[in-house]
Short mmCIF file of all heavy atoms in Angstrom, two decimals:
data_model
loop_
_atom_site.label_atom_id
_atom_site.label_comp_id
_atom_site.label_asym_id
_atom_site.label_seq_id
_atom_site.Cartn_x
_atom_site.Cartn_y
_atom_site.Cartn_z
N MET M 6 -2.86 -6.36 -19.08
CA MET M 6 -3.03 -5.31 -20.15
C MET M 6 -2.81 -3.89 -19.59
O MET M 6 -2.01 -3.07 -19.95
CB MET M 6 -4.32 -5.46 -20.82
CG MET M 6 -4.52 -4.37 -21.90
SD MET M 6 -3.25 -4.58 -23.24
CE MET M 6 -3.62 -3.05 -24.28
N PHE M 7 -3.53 -3.68 -18.49
CA PHE M 7 -3.52 -2.33 -17.81
C PHE M 7 -2.01 -2.11 -17.37
O PHE M 7 -1.50 -0.98 -17.55
CB PHE M 7 -4.57 -2.32 -16.65
CG PHE M 7 -4.28 -1.03 -15.79
CD1 PHE M 7 -4.63 0.22 -16.17
CD2 PHE M 7 -3.74 -1.16 -14.49
CE1 PHE M 7 -4.42 1.37 -15.38
CE2 PHE M 7 -3.50 -0.06 -13.65
CZ PHE M 7 -3.86 1.20 -14.10
N LEU M 8 -1.43 -3.17 -16.74
CA LEU M 8 -0.14 -2.98 -16.13
C LEU M 8 0.89 -2.73 -17.25
O LEU M 8 1.80 -1.93 -17.04
CB LEU M 8 0.33 -4.16 -15.32
CG LEU M 8 -0.24 -4.17 -13.91
CD1 LEU M 8 0.15 -5.46 -13.17
CD2 LEU M 8 0.27 -2.94 -13.07
N THR M 9 0.70 -3.35 -18.43
CA THR M 9 1.70 -3.10 -19.49
C THR M 9 1.65 -1.66 -20.02
O THR M 9 2.68 -1.07 -20.13
CB THR M 9 1.24 -4.11 -20.71
OG1 THR M 9 1.29 -5.51 -20.19
CG2 THR M 9 2.35 -4.02 -21.87
N VAL M 10 0.39 -1.22 -20.20
CA VAL M 10 0.25 0.22 -20.66
C VAL M 10 0.82 1.18 -19.57
O VAL M 10 1.54 2.14 -19.94
CB VAL M 10 -1.25 0.58 -20.86
CG1 VAL M 10 -1.43 2.08 -21.12
CG2 VAL M 10 -1.77 -0.28 -22.08
N LEU M 11 0.51 0.88 -18.31
CA LEU M 11 0.99 1.74 -17.15
C LEU M 11 2.48 1.80 -17.18
O LEU M 11 3.08 2.80 -16.89
CB LEU M 11 0.37 1.15 -15.86
CG LEU M 11 0.67 2.09 -14.66
CD1 LEU M 11 0.06 3.41 -14.71
CD2 LEU M 11 0.09 1.38 -13.44
N ALA M 12 3.11 0.49 -17.25
CA ALA M 12 4.60 0.51 -17.28
C ALA M 12 5.27 1.29 -18.36
O ALA M 12 6.22 2.02 -18.13
CB ALA M 12 4.99 -1.03 -17.25
N HIS M 13 4.56 1.22 -19.53
CA HIS M 13 5.21 2.12 -20.67
C HIS M 13 5.02 3.51 -20.37
O HIS M 13 6.01 4.31 -20.57
CB HIS M 13 4.47 1.72 -21.92
CG HIS M 13 4.92 0.39 -22.53
ND1 HIS M 13 4.13 -0.61 -22.96
CD2 HIS M 13 6.20 -0.02 -22.74
CE1 HIS M 13 4.81 -1.59 -23.47
NE2 HIS M 13 6.07 -1.30 -23.31
N GLN M 14 3.91 3.92 -19.81
CA GLN M 14 3.57 5.38 -19.57
C GLN M 14 4.60 5.79 -18.51
O GLN M 14 5.21 6.90 -18.60
CB GLN M 14 2.22 5.55 -18.92
CG GLN M 14 1.10 5.30 -20.04
CD GLN M 14 0.92 6.47 -20.90
OE1 GLN M 14 1.23 7.59 -20.60
NE2 GLN M 14 0.45 6.18 -22.14
N ALA M 15 4.83 5.09 -17.48
CA ALA M 15 5.75 5.34 -16.34
C ALA M 15 7.19 5.47 -16.86
O ALA M 15 7.80 6.42 -16.55
CB ALA M 15 5.65 4.32 -15.30
N GLU M 16 7.60 4.46 -17.71
CA GLU M 16 8.91 4.52 -18.19
C GLU M 16 9.23 5.68 -19.00
O GLU M 16 10.22 6.43 -18.86
CB GLU M 16 9.18 3.26 -19.06
CG GLU M 16 10.65 3.03 -19.49
CD GLU M 16 10.91 1.82 -20.30
OE1 GLU M 16 9.92 0.89 -20.20
OE2 GLU M 16 11.90 1.70 -20.89
N SER M 17 8.28 6.14 -19.87
CA SER M 17 8.46 7.35 -20.64
C SER M 17 8.53 8.57 -19.83
O SER M 17 8.93 9.61 -20.19
CB SER M 17 7.44 7.40 -21.81
OG SER M 17 6.17 7.52 -21.20
N ALA M 18 8.02 8.51 -18.62
CA ALA M 18 7.93 9.67 -17.69
C ALA M 18 9.10 9.61 -16.72
O ALA M 18 9.14 10.35 -15.80
CB ALA M 18 6.59 9.70 -16.99
N GLY M 19 9.99 8.56 -16.83
CA GLY M 19 11.04 8.41 -15.91
C GLY M 19 10.63 7.87 -14.58
O GLY M 19 11.30 8.10 -13.58
N ARG M 20 9.57 7.12 -14.57
CA ARG M 20 8.98 6.59 -13.35
C ARG M 20 9.07 5.08 -13.35
O ARG M 20 9.31 4.46 -14.40
CB ARG M 20 7.59 7.02 -13.03
CG ARG M 20 7.37 8.56 -12.99
CD ARG M 20 7.87 9.09 -11.67
NE ARG M 20 7.71 10.57 -11.60
CZ ARG M 20 7.80 11.22 -10.58
NH1 ARG M 20 8.13 10.65 -9.41
NH2 ARG M 20 7.62 12.55 -10.61
N GLU M 21 8.74 4.51 -12.26
CA GLU M 21 8.87 3.05 -11.98
C GLU M 21 7.57 2.52 -11.52
O GLU M 21 6.97 3.01 -10.70
CB GLU M 21 9.97 2.75 -11.12
CG GLU M 21 10.34 1.24 -10.93
CD GLU M 21 11.40 0.94 -9.97
OE1 GLU M 21 11.86 1.86 -9.30
OE2 GLU M 21 11.65 -0.22 -9.78
N VAL M 22 7.13 1.30 -12.15
CA VAL M 22 5.85 0.70 -11.71
C VAL M 22 6.30 -0.66 -10.97
O VAL M 22 7.06 -1.42 -11.58
CB VAL M 22 4.93 0.42 -12.83
CG1 VAL M 22 3.77 -0.43 -12.26
CG2 VAL M 22 4.43 1.69 -13.42
N ILE M 23 5.76 -0.84 -9.78
CA ILE M 23 6.04 -2.24 -9.10
C ILE M 23 4.56 -2.72 -8.69
O ILE M 23 3.85 -2.02 -7.91
CB ILE M 23 6.84 -1.98 -7.78
CG1 ILE M 23 8.19 -1.31 -8.18
CG2 ILE M 23 7.05 -3.27 -7.14
CD1 ILE M 23 9.06 -0.96 -6.98
N ALA M 24 4.26 -3.84 -9.22
CA ALA M 24 2.93 -4.47 -8.88
C ALA M 24 3.01 -5.09 -7.51
O ALA M 24 3.96 -5.73 -7.12
CB ALA M 24 2.69 -5.66 -9.95
N VAL M 25 2.01 -4.69 -6.73
CA VAL M 25 2.09 -5.09 -5.28
C VAL M 25 0.76 -5.97 -4.98
O VAL M 25 -0.40 -5.54 -5.44
CB VAL M 25 2.04 -3.89 -4.34
CG1 VAL M 25 1.74 -4.24 -2.89
CG2 VAL M 25 3.43 -3.25 -4.42
N ASN M 26 0.80 -6.95 -4.24
CA ASN M 26 -0.30 -7.69 -3.79
C ASN M 26 -1.03 -6.87 -2.73
O ASN M 26 -0.48 -6.63 -1.64
CB ASN M 26 0.09 -9.07 -3.18
CG ASN M 26 -1.10 -9.86 -2.79
OD1 ASN M 26 -2.24 -9.39 -2.72
ND2 ASN M 26 -0.89 -11.11 -2.49
N PRO M 27 -2.25 -6.42 -3.05
CA PRO M 27 -2.92 -5.47 -2.15
C PRO M 27 -3.62 -6.21 -0.90
O PRO M 27 -4.12 -5.53 -0.10
CB PRO M 27 -4.05 -4.86 -3.04
CG PRO M 27 -4.36 -5.88 -4.04
CD PRO M 27 -3.09 -6.63 -4.26
N ALA M 28 -3.51 -7.54 -0.86
CA ALA M 28 -4.19 -8.23 0.27
C ALA M 28 -3.86 -7.66 1.56
O ALA M 28 -2.64 -7.61 1.95
CB ALA M 28 -3.86 -9.76 0.17
N GLY M 29 -4.78 -7.32 2.44
CA GLY M 29 -4.56 -6.80 3.74
C GLY M 29 -4.06 -5.34 3.91
O GLY M 29 -4.09 -4.83 5.03
N THR M 30 -3.76 -4.69 2.79
CA THR M 30 -3.14 -3.35 2.97
C THR M 30 -4.33 -2.36 3.50
O THR M 30 -3.81 -1.35 3.99
CB THR M 30 -2.69 -2.81 1.57
OG1 THR M 30 -3.74 -3.08 0.50
CG2 THR M 30 -1.38 -3.59 1.12
N SER M 31 -5.57 -2.71 3.29
CA SER M 31 -6.50 -1.68 3.74
C SER M 31 -6.89 -1.83 5.15
O SER M 31 -7.55 -0.93 5.74
CB SER M 31 -7.87 -1.67 2.81
OG SER M 31 -8.40 -2.93 3.09
N ARG M 32 -6.58 -2.93 5.83
CA ARG M 32 -6.85 -3.16 7.17
C ARG M 32 -5.73 -3.26 8.08
O ARG M 32 -5.79 -3.55 9.33
CB ARG M 32 -7.84 -4.43 7.29
CG ARG M 32 -7.19 -5.67 6.89
CD ARG M 32 -8.11 -6.86 6.98
NE ARG M 32 -7.43 -8.12 6.80
CZ ARG M 32 -7.99 -9.31 6.94
NH1 ARG M 32 -9.24 -9.34 7.31
NH2 ARG M 32 -7.31 -10.29 6.72
N THR M 33 -4.52 -3.07 7.49
CA THR M 33 -3.24 -3.18 8.23
C THR M 33 -2.78 -1.70 8.66
O THR M 33 -2.81 -0.84 7.85
CB THR M 33 -2.11 -3.74 7.49
OG1 THR M 33 -2.51 -5.15 7.20
CG2 THR M 33 -0.74 -3.87 8.27
N CYS M 34 -2.40 -1.58 9.92
CA CYS M 34 -2.08 -0.24 10.49
C CYS M 34 -0.63 0.10 9.93
O CYS M 34 0.36 -0.65 9.95
CB CYS M 34 -1.92 -0.26 11.96
SG CYS M 34 -1.32 1.26 12.74
N ALA M 35 -0.54 1.33 9.24
CA ALA M 35 0.77 1.70 8.65
C ALA M 35 1.75 2.17 9.77
O ALA M 35 2.89 2.25 9.48
CB ALA M 35 0.42 2.92 7.66
N ARG M 36 1.26 2.38 10.98
CA ARG M 36 2.18 2.73 12.05
C ARG M 36 2.74 1.53 12.74
O ARG M 36 3.97 1.45 12.91
CB ARG M 36 1.51 3.68 13.04
CG ARG M 36 2.38 4.12 14.20
CD ARG M 36 1.69 4.88 15.23
NE ARG M 36 1.35 6.24 14.86
CZ ARG M 36 0.54 7.04 15.48
NH1 ARG M 36 -0.05 6.56 16.50
NH2 ARG M 36 0.35 8.29 15.00
N CYS M 37 1.92 0.57 13.14
CA CYS M 37 2.36 -0.38 14.03
C CYS M 37 2.21 -1.91 13.30
O CYS M 37 2.86 -2.90 13.85
CB CYS M 37 1.66 -0.50 15.35
SG CYS M 37 0.01 -1.18 15.28
N GLY M 38 1.54 -2.01 12.25
CA GLY M 38 1.51 -3.28 11.56
C GLY M 38 0.38 -4.12 11.90
O GLY M 38 0.14 -5.17 11.41
N HIS M 39 -0.39 -3.64 12.98
CA HIS M 39 -1.58 -4.52 13.46
C HIS M 39 -2.57 -4.64 12.32
O HIS M 39 -2.94 -3.70 11.78
CB HIS M 39 -2.22 -3.82 14.70
CG HIS M 39 -3.39 -4.61 15.21
ND1 HIS M 39 -3.30 -5.85 15.67
CD2 HIS M 39 -4.73 -4.18 15.23
CE1 HIS M 39 -4.51 -6.15 16.08
NE2 HIS M 39 -5.36 -5.20 15.74
N SER M 40 -2.94 -5.87 11.98
CA SER M 40 -3.96 -6.05 10.89
C SER M 40 -5.17 -6.72 11.51
O SER M 40 -5.18 -7.77 12.11
CB SER M 40 -3.29 -6.99 9.91
OG SER M 40 -4.20 -7.31 8.82
N ALA M 41 -6.32 -6.01 11.31
CA ALA M 41 -7.55 -6.56 11.83
C ALA M 41 -8.76 -5.79 11.02
O ALA M 41 -8.72 -4.63 10.66
CB ALA M 41 -7.76 -6.26 13.20
N ARG M 42 -9.78 -6.56 10.79
CA ARG M 42 -10.87 -6.08 10.10
C ARG M 42 -11.51 -4.84 10.91
O ARG M 42 -12.01 -3.86 10.29
CB ARG M 42 -11.98 -7.07 9.95
CG ARG M 42 -13.21 -6.78 9.22
CD ARG M 42 -14.16 -7.92 9.15
NE ARG M 42 -13.66 -9.17 8.49
CZ ARG M 42 -13.90 -9.45 7.31
NH1 ARG M 42 -14.57 -8.60 6.51
NH2 ARG M 42 -13.39 -10.53 6.73
N GLU M 43 -11.39 -4.97 12.28
CA GLU M 43 -11.96 -3.92 13.09
C GLU M 43 -11.24 -2.55 13.06
O GLU M 43 -11.83 -1.60 13.52
CB GLU M 43 -12.01 -4.46 14.58
CG GLU M 43 -12.82 -5.50 14.90
CD GLU M 43 -12.34 -6.83 14.30
OE1 GLU M 43 -11.13 -7.08 14.07
OE2 GLU M 43 -13.20 -7.68 13.97
N ASN M 44 -10.07 -2.54 12.33
CA ASN M 44 -9.42 -1.30 12.22
C ASN M 44 -10.08 -0.31 11.15
O ASN M 44 -9.88 0.82 11.17
CB ASN M 44 -7.95 -1.54 11.59
CG ASN M 44 -6.97 -2.07 12.60
OD1 ASN M 44 -7.30 -2.03 13.81
ND2 ASN M 44 -5.92 -2.63 12.09
N ARG M 45 -10.98 -0.91 10.41
CA ARG M 45 -11.78 -0.11 9.44
C ARG M 45 -13.07 0.30 10.16
O ARG M 45 -14.04 -0.47 10.12
CB ARG M 45 -11.99 -0.90 8.20
CG ARG M 45 -10.79 -1.05 7.36
CD ARG M 45 -10.24 0.23 6.88
NE ARG M 45 -11.11 0.84 5.95
CZ ARG M 45 -11.34 0.59 4.60
NH1 ARG M 45 -10.55 -0.33 4.10
NH2 ARG M 45 -12.13 1.28 3.88
N VAL M 46 -13.10 1.56 10.74
CA VAL M 46 -14.24 1.98 11.36
C VAL M 46 -15.42 2.40 10.45
O VAL M 46 -16.58 2.12 10.74
CB VAL M 46 -13.87 3.22 12.35
CG1 VAL M 46 -13.18 2.72 13.56
CG2 VAL M 46 -13.16 4.26 11.57
N THR M 47 -15.04 2.77 9.25
CA THR M 47 -16.01 3.14 8.26
C THR M 47 -15.29 2.81 6.97
O THR M 47 -14.08 2.46 6.86
CB THR M 47 -16.43 4.56 8.21
OG1 THR M 47 -15.20 5.42 7.88
CG2 THR M 47 -17.03 5.04 9.57
N GLN M 48 -16.03 2.97 5.83
CA GLN M 48 -15.37 2.72 4.53
C GLN M 48 -14.27 3.72 4.31
O GLN M 48 -13.15 3.38 3.74
CB GLN M 48 -16.45 2.97 3.36
CG GLN M 48 -15.93 2.79 1.94
CD GLN M 48 -15.54 1.40 1.63
OE1 GLN M 48 -15.93 0.44 2.24
NE2 GLN M 48 -14.62 1.31 0.69
N ALA M 49 -14.38 4.93 4.77
CA ALA M 49 -13.38 5.93 4.54
C ALA M 49 -12.35 6.05 5.68
O ALA M 49 -11.33 6.75 5.52
CB ALA M 49 -14.05 7.29 4.25
N GLY M 50 -12.64 5.60 6.88
CA GLY M 50 -11.86 5.84 8.01
C GLY M 50 -11.08 4.59 8.53
O GLY M 50 -11.63 3.49 8.54
N PHE M 51 -9.81 4.88 8.98
CA PHE M 51 -8.96 3.83 9.59
C PHE M 51 -8.75 4.29 10.99
O PHE M 51 -8.26 5.41 11.32
CB PHE M 51 -7.76 3.72 8.73
CG PHE M 51 -6.86 2.61 9.31
CD1 PHE M 51 -6.88 1.29 8.70
CD2 PHE M 51 -5.98 2.82 10.32
CE1 PHE M 51 -6.15 0.28 9.24
CE2 PHE M 51 -5.22 1.81 10.83
CZ PHE M 51 -5.19 0.51 10.27
N ALA M 52 -8.90 3.33 11.97
CA ALA M 52 -8.54 3.64 13.39
C ALA M 52 -7.98 2.32 13.89
O ALA M 52 -8.72 1.32 14.15
CB ALA M 52 -9.72 4.09 14.12
N CYS M 53 -6.64 2.26 14.13
CA CYS M 53 -5.99 1.09 14.68
C CYS M 53 -6.42 0.67 16.10
O CYS M 53 -6.48 1.56 17.03
CB CYS M 53 -4.48 1.28 14.65
SG CYS M 53 -3.66 -0.22 15.24
N THR M 54 -6.96 -0.53 16.26
CA THR M 54 -7.39 -0.93 17.67
C THR M 54 -6.21 -1.22 18.61
O THR M 54 -6.44 -1.38 19.71
CB THR M 54 -8.32 -2.21 17.53
OG1 THR M 54 -7.60 -3.22 16.90
CG2 THR M 54 -9.67 -1.84 16.69
N ALA M 55 -5.01 -1.34 18.07
CA ALA M 55 -3.86 -1.69 18.82
C ALA M 55 -3.13 -0.43 19.29
O ALA M 55 -2.71 -0.33 20.50
CB ALA M 55 -2.87 -2.55 18.06
N CYS M 56 -2.85 0.46 18.37
CA CYS M 56 -1.96 1.76 18.75
C CYS M 56 -2.77 2.96 18.66
O CYS M 56 -2.22 4.05 19.05
CB CYS M 56 -0.76 1.79 17.86
SG CYS M 56 -1.08 2.46 16.23
N GLY M 57 -3.96 3.03 18.12
CA GLY M 57 -4.76 4.24 18.21
C GLY M 57 -4.56 5.13 17.06
O GLY M 57 -5.17 6.25 16.90
N HIS M 58 -3.62 4.70 16.14
CA HIS M 58 -3.32 5.55 14.88
C HIS M 58 -4.63 5.68 14.06
O HIS M 58 -5.32 4.73 13.84
CB HIS M 58 -2.33 4.81 14.01
CG HIS M 58 -2.05 5.42 12.74
ND1 HIS M 58 -1.59 6.66 12.55
CD2 HIS M 58 -2.20 4.85 11.47
CE1 HIS M 58 -1.45 6.95 11.24
NE2 HIS M 58 -1.84 5.89 10.62
N THR M 59 -4.90 6.96 13.70
CA THR M 59 -6.01 7.12 12.82
C THR M 59 -5.60 7.93 11.58
O THR M 59 -4.65 8.72 11.62
CB THR M 59 -7.14 8.03 13.52
OG1 THR M 59 -6.57 9.32 13.87
CG2 THR M 59 -7.62 7.34 14.67
N ALA M 60 -6.26 7.62 10.48
CA ALA M 60 -5.89 8.29 9.17
C ALA M 60 -7.00 7.99 8.22
O ALA M 60 -7.87 7.01 8.36
CB ALA M 60 -4.65 7.76 8.59
N PRO M 61 -7.17 8.80 7.11
CA PRO M 61 -8.05 8.37 6.07
C PRO M 61 -7.67 6.99 5.58
O PRO M 61 -6.43 6.76 5.47
CB PRO M 61 -7.83 9.42 4.98
CG PRO M 61 -7.25 10.60 5.73
CD PRO M 61 -6.48 10.10 6.89
N ALA M 62 -8.64 6.06 5.37
CA ALA M 62 -8.34 4.75 4.99
C ALA M 62 -7.47 4.63 3.74
O ALA M 62 -6.60 3.84 3.66
CB ALA M 62 -9.74 3.91 4.75
N ASP M 63 -7.74 5.47 2.81
CA ASP M 63 -6.99 5.45 1.55
C ASP M 63 -5.50 5.89 1.74
O ASP M 63 -4.55 5.29 1.21
CB ASP M 63 -7.56 6.46 0.50
CG ASP M 63 -8.79 5.81 -0.04
OD1 ASP M 63 -9.14 4.58 0.12
OD2 ASP M 63 -9.57 6.65 -0.75
N VAL M 64 -5.27 6.76 2.65
CA VAL M 64 -3.96 7.22 2.98
C VAL M 64 -3.20 6.17 3.71
O VAL M 64 -2.04 5.84 3.32
CB VAL M 64 -3.85 8.58 3.83
CG1 VAL M 64 -2.53 8.93 4.32
CG2 VAL M 64 -4.48 9.74 3.03
N ASN M 65 -3.79 5.50 4.72
CA ASN M 65 -3.25 4.43 5.34
C ASN M 65 -2.90 3.30 4.46
O ASN M 65 -1.79 2.78 4.50
CB ASN M 65 -4.16 3.89 6.50
CG ASN M 65 -3.67 2.81 7.32
OD1 ASN M 65 -2.71 2.98 8.17
ND2 ASN M 65 -3.99 1.56 7.06
N ALA M 66 -3.77 2.89 3.55
CA ALA M 66 -3.42 1.78 2.61
C ALA M 66 -2.37 2.17 1.58
O ALA M 66 -1.58 1.37 1.25
CB ALA M 66 -4.83 1.42 1.86
N ALA M 67 -2.39 3.41 1.24
CA ALA M 67 -1.32 3.87 0.24
C ALA M 67 0.05 3.77 0.85
O ALA M 67 1.03 3.35 0.20
CB ALA M 67 -1.56 5.30 -0.22
N ILE M 68 0.20 4.06 2.14
CA ILE M 68 1.52 3.97 2.82
C ILE M 68 1.89 2.47 2.81
O ILE M 68 3.05 2.22 2.52
CB ILE M 68 1.48 4.55 4.22
CG1 ILE M 68 1.24 6.04 4.18
CG2 ILE M 68 2.66 4.18 5.05
CD1 ILE M 68 0.87 6.65 5.53
N ASN M 69 0.96 1.56 3.13
CA ASN M 69 1.25 0.17 3.17
C ASN M 69 1.68 -0.37 1.74
O ASN M 69 2.52 -1.17 1.64
CB ASN M 69 0.00 -0.63 3.69
CG ASN M 69 -0.27 -0.36 5.15
OD1 ASN M 69 0.72 -0.21 5.89
ND2 ASN M 69 -1.49 -0.47 5.57
N ILE M 70 0.88 0.11 0.79
CA ILE M 70 1.27 -0.27 -0.59
C ILE M 70 2.70 0.26 -0.98
O ILE M 70 3.40 -0.51 -1.61
CB ILE M 70 0.18 0.14 -1.59
CG1 ILE M 70 -1.13 -0.59 -1.26
CG2 ILE M 70 0.62 -0.02 -2.98
CD1 ILE M 70 -2.41 -0.03 -1.92
N LEU M 71 2.99 1.48 -0.70
CA LEU M 71 4.28 2.02 -1.07
C LEU M 71 5.37 1.17 -0.35
O LEU M 71 6.37 0.81 -0.93
CB LEU M 71 4.34 3.51 -0.58
CG LEU M 71 5.71 4.21 -0.67
CD1 LEU M 71 6.14 4.13 -2.17
CD2 LEU M 71 5.65 5.54 -0.11
N ARG M 72 5.18 0.87 0.93
CA ARG M 72 6.09 0.13 1.74
C ARG M 72 6.35 -1.20 1.08
O ARG M 72 7.51 -1.69 1.01
CB ARG M 72 5.73 0.00 3.15
CG ARG M 72 6.69 -0.29 4.15
CD ARG M 72 6.17 -0.14 5.62
NE ARG M 72 6.10 1.29 6.00
CZ ARG M 72 5.28 1.69 6.89
NH1 ARG M 72 4.52 0.95 7.56
NH2 ARG M 72 5.41 2.93 7.23
N ALA M 73 5.23 -1.89 0.64
CA ALA M 73 5.38 -3.12 0.05
C ALA M 73 6.11 -3.12 -1.23
O ALA M 73 6.92 -4.00 -1.55
CB ALA M 73 3.95 -3.79 -0.17
N GLY M 74 5.84 -2.05 -2.06
CA GLY M 74 6.67 -1.94 -3.33
C GLY M 74 8.05 -1.65 -3.17
O GLY M 74 8.85 -2.25 -3.79
N LEU M 75 8.40 -0.84 -2.20
CA LEU M 75 9.80 -0.59 -1.86
C LEU M 75 10.52 -1.76 -1.41
O LEU M 75 11.69 -2.05 -1.74
CB LEU M 75 9.89 0.60 -0.83
CG LEU M 75 9.48 1.92 -1.40
CD1 LEU M 75 9.50 2.96 -0.28
CD2 LEU M 75 10.32 2.47 -2.52
N ALA M 76 9.88 -2.53 -0.47
CA ALA M 76 10.40 -3.82 -0.08
C ALA M 76 10.66 -4.80 -1.31
O ALA M 76 11.76 -5.45 -1.21
CB ALA M 76 9.53 -4.60 1.01
N LEU M 77 9.81 -4.91 -2.12
CA LEU M 77 9.92 -5.69 -3.42
C LEU M 77 11.07 -5.20 -4.15
O LEU M 77 11.88 -6.13 -4.65
CB LEU M 77 8.67 -5.74 -4.22
CG LEU M 77 7.45 -6.53 -3.79
CD1 LEU M 77 6.28 -6.27 -4.65
CD2 LEU M 77 7.86 -8.06 -3.63
N ARG M 78 11.17 -3.96 -4.41
CA ARG M 78 12.39 -3.41 -5.22
C ARG M 78 13.64 -3.77 -4.45
O ARG M 78 14.63 -4.12 -5.15
CB ARG M 78 12.26 -1.92 -5.45
CG ARG M 78 13.30 -1.37 -6.25
CD ARG M 78 13.05 0.02 -6.68
NE ARG M 78 13.19 0.96 -5.56
CZ ARG M 78 13.04 2.25 -5.64
NH1 ARG M 78 12.65 2.81 -6.81
NH2 ARG M 78 13.19 3.08 -4.58
N GLN M 79 13.69 -3.48 -3.13
CA GLN M 79 14.97 -3.75 -2.43
C GLN M 79 15.28 -5.27 -2.48
O GLN M 79 16.48 -5.59 -2.62
CB GLN M 79 14.69 -3.46 -0.93
CG GLN M 79 16.03 -3.27 -0.09
CD GLN M 79 15.66 -2.47 1.15
OE1 GLN M 79 14.73 -2.81 1.82
NE2 GLN M 79 16.62 -1.68 1.59
N ALA M 80 14.30 -6.19 -2.44
CA ALA M 80 14.53 -7.64 -2.50
C ALA M 80 15.08 -8.00 -3.92
O ALA M 80 15.98 -8.75 -4.08
CB ALA M 80 13.26 -8.42 -2.28
N ALA M 81 14.49 -7.29 -4.88
CA ALA M 81 14.96 -7.58 -6.30
C ALA M 81 16.38 -7.08 -6.49
O ALA M 81 17.19 -7.74 -7.25
CB ALA M 81 14.03 -6.89 -7.32
N GLU M 82 16.82 -5.92 -5.85
CA GLU M 82 18.10 -5.47 -5.99
C GLU M 82 19.07 -6.34 -5.31
O GLU M 82 20.26 -6.39 -5.73
CB GLU M 82 18.20 -4.06 -5.50
CG GLU M 82 17.51 -2.92 -6.32
CD GLU M 82 17.40 -1.55 -5.82
OE1 GLU M 82 17.75 -1.47 -4.56
OE2 GLU M 82 16.94 -0.72 -6.47
N ALA M 83 18.66 -6.89 -4.21
CA ALA M 83 19.61 -7.79 -3.36
C ALA M 83 19.79 -9.18 -4.13
O ALA M 83 20.80 -9.80 -3.78
CB ALA M 83 19.03 -7.97 -2.03
N ALA M 84 18.81 -9.57 -4.93
CA ALA M 84 18.91 -10.86 -5.56
C ALA M 84 20.05 -10.88 -6.64
O ALA M 84 20.43 -9.92 -7.18
CB ALA M 84 17.61 -11.26 -6.17
ZN1 ZN J 128 -1.46 0.60 14.89
#
């Protein structure tokens, strides 16, 4: 229901909505792809134990979600 309303709103604004599976996006490093629970130093903070990348946790997750959405769109276009 929420996605239906959101999709209509986005369409009328000339935007696109792509539903993304959020699993792992909050604990995966947006720089190197390392995924570990230990990457979440706090609720708000992200610090990759593999490459040292640090960012606000929401920003790191948003980059992963954007990347996943763009990959889905690219796959849909290629099909
Ligand atoms: Zn990393």
